[in-house]
C-alpha cells in the first residue's frame, strides 16, 4: 500500500512581493557585519587616510602638516625619477609576464603528456613559487657576486672571463639581472593554471581532429589555444596586477640602485616615505600605483562577475 507523503516546497516569492520579505530583510547584513568591520578597518580606513595625506606636505613624523592640494601630483609629473620608475615598471611588466607565460605554457603542454617523472618535474618547477622572496633574493645576490659568485666563476672556467662583470652593480645590467630570478619565480604559477586547463579539454576533440588529418601544430592552434582562453585571461590579469606593484624583489636585491637603474614606483614611494621623510609625496605615489592596479583589475573582476551570474 502506497503511502502518500506530503512534501512541503517553498514557493518562490511572487514578483510583486516586498523586497524585504524576499531577501530576508536585515538578516544577511547582520552576518556580513564582522567581515565589513574588518574590511573597513584594515583596508578602507588606511586607503582613505593615505589619500588624504597625499594632499599634504606631512613628513611622516611631525604632528603638524599643511594641505597643499594637488602639488604632490604636479610634482610627480616633473620628477625625472618617477619617469624612470614608470619606464622600469613597464619593462618589468612586459618581461615578467611574457616570458613566464610562454615558458609556463610550454612546460604545461610538455608535462601534460606522457613524460617520465612528470609529477616530480611539476613539483620542481612550481617550488620557486612557494619560496620566501627574501631567500630567493639572497640566493641570486650570491650567484651574481662579482668576485665569488657562481655565474662569474663559471664564465671564467669556460674561458669567457671577459663576460664576467658586476651584474647588479652597473646600470646596463642591473634591471635585467633582477628580472631573471623574477621570471624563475613566476613561471610555476602559469604552468599550474595551464596544466589544470589542459586536463579539462576533452580527448574526443583531438581524436576527431586526428581522424580529419590535422597535424599536432594545427591541433595546438585550433583546439588547445582557444580552449585555454579563460586561463590566458586569469594569468595575464593577475600577472599584470602583480607586476605593476613590484617592490620586494627589487628592494631586497638592489634597493632601487645603482643610481635609479632599478627604481620602480614601489621603491621610489618607499624611499620618499621612509628615507627622505616626504610622506605626503610618497603617499601620492602610492595612490597612483593603486589607481593603476585598480584600473587594470576592473576588466578581470567584471569578467569573473559575468561568469558567476
Amino acid at each position: 500500500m502506497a503511502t502518500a507523503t506530503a512534501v512541503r516546497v517553498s514557493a518562490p516569492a511572487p514578483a510583486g512581493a516586498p523586497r524585504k520579505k524576499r531577501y530576508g530583510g536585515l538578516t544577511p547584513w547582520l552576518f556580513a557585519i564582522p567581515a565589513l568591520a574588518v574590511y573597513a578597518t584594515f583596508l578602507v580606513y588606511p586607503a582613505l587616510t593615505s589619500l588624504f595625506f597625499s594632499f599634504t606636505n606631512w613628513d611622516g613624523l611631525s604632528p603638524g602638516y599643511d594641505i597643499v592640494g594637488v602639488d604632490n601630483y604636479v610634482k610627480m609629473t616633473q620628477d625625472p625619477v618617477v619617469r624612470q620608475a614608470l619606464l622600469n615598471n613597464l619593462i618589468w611588466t612586459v618581461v615578467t609576464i611574457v616570458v613566464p607565460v610562454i615558458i609556463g605554457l610550454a612546460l604545461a603542454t610538455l608535462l601534460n603528456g606522457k613524460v617520465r617523472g612528470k609529477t616530480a618535474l611539476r613539483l620542481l618547477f612550481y617550488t620557486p613559487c612557494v619560496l620566501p622572496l627574501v631567500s630567493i633574493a639572497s640566493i641570486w645576490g650570491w650567484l651574481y657576486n662579482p668576485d665569488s659568485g657562481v655565474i662569474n666563476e663559471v664564465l671564467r672556467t669556460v674561458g669567457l672571463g671577459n663576460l664576467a662583470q658586476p651584474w647588479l652593480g652597473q646600470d646596463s645590467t642591473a634591471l635585467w639581472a633582477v628580472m631573471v630570478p623574477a621570471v624563475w619565480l613566476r613561471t610555476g604559477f602559469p604552468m599550474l593554471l595551464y596544466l589544470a586547463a589542459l586536463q579539462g579539454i576533452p580527448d574526443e576533440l583531438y581524436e576527431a581532429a586526428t581522424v580529419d588529418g590535422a597535424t599536432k601544430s594545427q591541433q595546438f592552434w585550433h583546439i588547445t589555444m582557444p580552449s585555454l582562453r579563460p586561463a590566458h585571461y586569469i594569468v595575464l590579469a593577475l600577472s599584470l596586477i602583480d607586476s605593476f606593484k613590484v617592490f620586494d624583489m627589487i628592494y631586497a636585491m638592489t634597493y632601487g640602485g645603482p643610481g635609479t637603474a632599478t627604481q620602480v614606483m614601489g621603491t621610489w614611494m618607499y624611499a620618499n616615505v621612509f628615507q627622505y621623510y616626504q610622506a605626503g609625496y610618497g603617499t601620492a605615489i602610492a595612490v597612483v600605483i593603486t589607481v593603476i592596479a585598480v584600473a587594470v583589475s576592473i576588466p578581470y573582476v567584471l569578467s569573473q562577475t559575468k561568469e558567476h551570474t
Side-chain angles (χ1 to χ4, degrees):
M1 179 179 179
T3 303
T5 303
V7 179
R8 182 176 295 175
V9 178
S10 300
R19 189 179 184 85
K20 177 180 178 181
K21 185 175 180 180
R22 281 190 291 159
Y23 294 102
L26 293 175
T27 303
W29 292 102
L30 293 177
F31 285 104
I33 283 177
L36 290 175
V38 173
Y39 183 80
T41 303
F42 295 103
L43 185 64
V44 176
Y45 175 71
L48 292 178
T49 303
S50 297
L51 179 62
F52 171 75
F53 281 116
S54 72
F55 296 106
T56 71
N57 62 352
W58 188 42
D59 62 6
L61 296 174
S62 303
Y65 51 81
D66 296 322
I67 296 177
V68 297
V70 296
D71 286 1
N72 288 326
Y73 294 94
V74 174
K75 180 181 176 182
M76 287 177 60
T77 62
Q78 302 167 351
D79 188 347
V81 181
V82 169
R83 290 195 290 271
Q84 178 69 46
L86 280 172
L87 177 61
N88 288 344
N89 263 115
L90 182 61
I91 296 172
W92 178 279
T93 300
V94 172
V95 174
T96 60
I97 289 178
V98 173
V99 178
V101 165
I102 292 175
I103 298 176
L105 178 58
L107 289 174
T109 305
L110 176 66
L111 298 179
N112 191 46
K114 297 179 180 178
V115 178
R116 181 175 296 179
K118 62 182 180 183
T119 302
L121 291 173
R122 290 174 183 175
L123 179 63
L124 177 66
F125 290 123
Y126 187 71
T127 297
C129 295
V130 299
L131 293 177
L133 273 172
V134 175
S135 301
I136 293 175
S138 299
I139 292 170
W140 281 88
W142 172 72
L143 293 174
Y144 283 131
N145 188 292
D147 299 322
S148 58
V150 172
I151 295 175
N152 283 347
E153 285 296 324
V154 170
L155 289 174
R156 295 187 187 102
T157 302
V158 299
L160 298 175
N162 58 322
L163 297 179
Q165 52 193 302
W167 300 97
L168 297 175
Q170 55 187 10
D171 295 358
S172 59
T173 58
L175 183 62
W176 302 100
V178 179
M179 283 192 286
V180 172
V183 169
W184 177 68
L185 169 70
R186 291 164 179 255
T187 299
F189 173 67
M191 182 201 73
L192 196 66
L193 284 182
Y194 282 132
L195 197 55
L198 285 170
Q199 294 176 353
I201 302 175
D203 293 335
E204 290 79 6
L205 294 177
Y206 294 103
E207 294 170 359
T210 302
V211 171
D212 291 339
T215 63
K216 292 293 183 183
S217 176
Q218 290 172 327
Q219 292 178 23
F220 178 79
W221 289 109
H222 297 288
I223 297 177
T224 303
M225 289 300 283
S227 300
L228 293 178
R229 189 176 295 117
H232 290 321
Y233 201 80
I234 294 174
V235 168
L236 292 176
L238 296 182
S239 299
L240 188 59
I241 296 169
D242 194 44
S243 293
F244 209 87
K245 60 180 185 180
V246 58
F247 167 78
D248 37 20
M249 176 70 78
I250 289 179
Y251 187 78
M253 294 188 71
T254 65
Y255 299 98
T260 59
T262 60
Q263 202 73 258
V264 293
M265 292 291 282
T267 55
W268 189 230
M269 177 271 295
Y270 180 88
N272 276 280
V273 173
F274 297 103
Q275 295 177 0
Y276 305 141
Y277 302 111
Q278 299 182 22
Y281 185 52
T283 51
I285 297 174
V287 169
V288 170
I289 296 173
T290 304
V291 169
I292 294 174
V294 170
V296 169
S297 64
I298 286 177
Y300 169 69
V301 174
L302 291 177
S303 69
Q304 294 299 301
T305 303
K306 289 179 181 177
E307 288 182 4
H308 293 87
T309 55

